[in-house]
Amino acid sequence: MAVSISVVLLLLILAVIFLRSGGLKLSHALVCLLLGFYLASTSIAPTIHEGLTATADIVSSLRP
């Protein structure tokens, strides 16, 4: 749960930065948002979730 909230916040912050800098138009952001909602309702959503969780586990296990 904490990982998914962190990823959502990170993506939201990046989207806001891109919108403010002019690198991302509002229409592009809406398309990305709709794509995310549609992906969440498909059968590939658990695979994406497992991949993100595995990546977060690998990153968190790294020691500087």
Side-chain angles (χ1 to χ4, degrees):
M1 180 71 171
V3 172
S4 62
I5 292 173
S6 298
V7 171
V8 169
L9 286 176
L10 175 67
L11 292 175
L12 178 64
I13 290 169
L14 286 174
V16 169
I17 290 171
F18 288 147
L19 279 170
R20 293 183 135 234
S21 68
L24 181 69
K25 297 190 183 334
L26 184 59
S27 60
H28 298 151
L30 290 175
V31 168
C32 292
L33 180 76
L34 289 174
L35 175 64
F37 279 116
Y38 282 121
L39 278 177
S41 65
T42 63
S43 62
I44 198 169
T47 306
I48 294 171
H49 184 278
E50 290 170 7
L52 287 173
T53 303
T55 303
D57 289 340
I58 290 171
V59 170
S60 68
S61 68
L62 295 175
R63 301 289 177 223

